[in-house]
Amino acid sequence: MGRILSGEEIAAQIKAELRTRVADLARKGIVPGLAIVRVGEDPSSASYVRQKERAAQGLGLLSTTTVLPTRTSEDELLAVVSSLNEDPRFHGVLVQLPLPPDLSPERVCGTVAPAKDVDCLHPENIGRLVRGDPYLLPCTPHAVQQILHRSGYPPAGKHVVIVGRSALVGRPLSILLSQKGPAGDATVTLCHSATPDLGAFTHQADILVVAVGRPRLVTADMVRAGAVVIDVGVNRVDDPTAPKGYRLVGDTEYEAVGKVAAAITPVPGGVGPVTVAMLLGNTVAACEAQAQPAR
Ligand code: GUN
C-alpha cells in the first residue's frame, strides 16, 4: 500500500496556524463570523454543513446556519443572503450547494457580497482567480493544493490530470495548478465525462485528481505506478453491515489504486477535512480584510 495522506492531520496543522490569527483578532475585540445557508433536506449537504459549523465553533468563530425549506423561492433566498451581506457580525457568507432544481446557483452565488464570498463562487472572484489576482481561493481546489504542498508533492513541473470539470472543483483547480509560481507551474490536463479513453489520459498523470462523484470510476489499471492520487469524490454506497446502512467511498478503487500509487487520500478523512479547514482560513482572511480600513 502506498502512503496514505491523512487530511485530518493536515487540517489539524492548518487549524493550529489559524488559532494564532484568531487570537490576534480577539485581542482587538473581533470574532470572525461565518453564516451558512442551506436549502432543502439533502442529507449529505446537512452533514457537510454540520461539519463546517462544528469546525468554525471549534476554532472560536461565530457560526450560524439558516435552514430554509425545499420550496423556498429564489426571491426569499436572495433576501436572506442580502441580509447576511449587510450583517457586520458575519465576514463570510456561504450558500451550500447543490440547491433545489428551481433555484439558480449562479444567481444565488452572484448575490453573496464579493468581500464575504468565502467559497469564491461570485463571478468577480472567479474572474480575479482566472486573471491571477485572487481574493480568496476556492476551498476544495485550495485543499488539494495544500495536501500536495504539505505532503511534499509540489505540482510544479508535473503533469496533473484532473478528472471532472465542475465549477466547484475541477475547473478552478485546473486554473490554480497551472498558474505561474511555485504553488502552480503544473502542466494540467482536464478530463471529463465526454473524454474518450479516459484511462489513456489518467495513465499519464504524475498527480491524478478525481472529482466526479462516481464510485470506483478510477481503477488500478488506469493509474501509473508511483503516481500521487487525490480522491475528491464522496459517495454514499449501500452497506447493510454498516450502522447507518451505507458507507462513504471516493471515486477510486481505493485498495487496488493504493497499491499502485505512491500516495493516496482516503475517503473519508482525505480532502474533506482540509476543505473545511480552508473555509475557516477564508473566513479568518475575510475578517482580517474587513477589519482593515478601506483604502
Ligand atoms: N457543496 C459541496 N461542496 C461545496 C462547497 O465547497 N461549497 C458549497 N457552497 N457547497 C458545496
Side-chain angles (χ1 to χ4, degrees), residues 37 45 48 52 94-98 109 119 121 138-141 168-169 275:
V37 182
S45 284
Y48 295 148
K52 291 172 183 182
L94 176 157
V95 181
Q96 185 68 21
L97 303 176
C109 294
D119 254 341
L121 292 173
C139 300
T140 306
L168 219 44
V169 186
T275 293

Side-chain angles (χ1 to χ4, degrees), residues 22-278:
V22 173
D24 285 345
L25 288 162
R27 274 191 285 279
K28 298 180 201 157
I30 301 168
V31 179
L34 172 65
I36 304 175
V37 182
R38 176 166 76 74
V39 187
E41 292 310 321
D42 178 60
S44 296
S45 284
S47 158
Y48 295 148
V49 166
R50 271 196 306 277
Q51 289 169 31
K52 291 172 183 182
E53 192 170 34
R54 246 184 249 144
Q57 287 165 358
L59 192 64
L61 311 191
L62 171 68
S63 170
T64 67
T65 300
T66 308
V67 181
L68 301 171
T70 309
R71 59 183 185 285
T72 301
S73 74
E74 199 164 279
D75 284 349
E76 287 169 323
L77 175 55
L78 296 184
V80 169
V81 171
S82 297
S83 81
L84 294 169
N85 285 342
E86 298 300 320
D87 190 329
R89 293 174 302 161
F90 300 114
H91 308 90
V93 175
L94 176 157
V95 181
Q96 185 68 21
L97 303 176
L99 292 169
D102 292 347
L103 302 174
S104 154
E106 289 78 17
R107 242 191 321 266
V108 173
C109 294
T111 301
V112 173
K116 297 191 176 187
D117 175 29
V118 284
D119 254 341
C120 192
L121 292 173
H122 189 285
E124 181 179 317
N125 289 327
I126 297 170
R128 288 184 60 167
L129 177 71
V130 173
R131 198 169 67 171
D133 164 38
Y135 167 49
L136 303 171
L137 296 176
C139 300
T140 306
H142 195 195
V144 172
Q145 193 184 47
Q146 284 295 310
I147 290 169
L148 293 171
H149 170 69
R150 289 173 187 256
S151 308
Y153 303 108
K158 302 295 184 195
H159 183 194
V160 178
V161 177
I162 301 169
V163 186
R165 56 180 157 187
S166 70
L168 219 44
V169 186
R171 260 184 290 151
L173 181 63
S174 70
I175 292 159
L176 211 52
L177 295 184
S178 59
Q179 76 188 345
K180 237 184 174 70
D185 277 346
T187 301
V188 176
T189 300
L190 184 57
C191 301
H192 44 73
S193 51
T195 301
D197 195 5
L198 182 61
F201 290 93
T202 58
H203 215 272
Q204 295 175 40
D206 301 311
I207 297 169
L208 176 61
V209 183
V210 194
V212 172
R214 194 177 325 151
R216 290 179 288 281
L217 173 69
V218 169
T219 50
D221 59 300
M222 295 166 72
V223 178
R224 194 175 56 74
V228 174
V229 178
I230 309 292
D231 190 345
V232 183
V234 183
N235 306 290
R236 289 187 176 199
V237 296
D238 291 340
D239 181 355
T241 67
K244 292 181 177 168
Y246 68 85
R247 66 196 162 84
L248 296 179
V249 300
D251 288 352
T252 65
E253 271 189 340
Y254 179 72
E255 292 295 334
V257 171
K259 288 195 178 89
V260 176
I264 188 166
T265 56
V267 178
V271 176
V274 187
T275 293
V276 173
M278 300 334 291

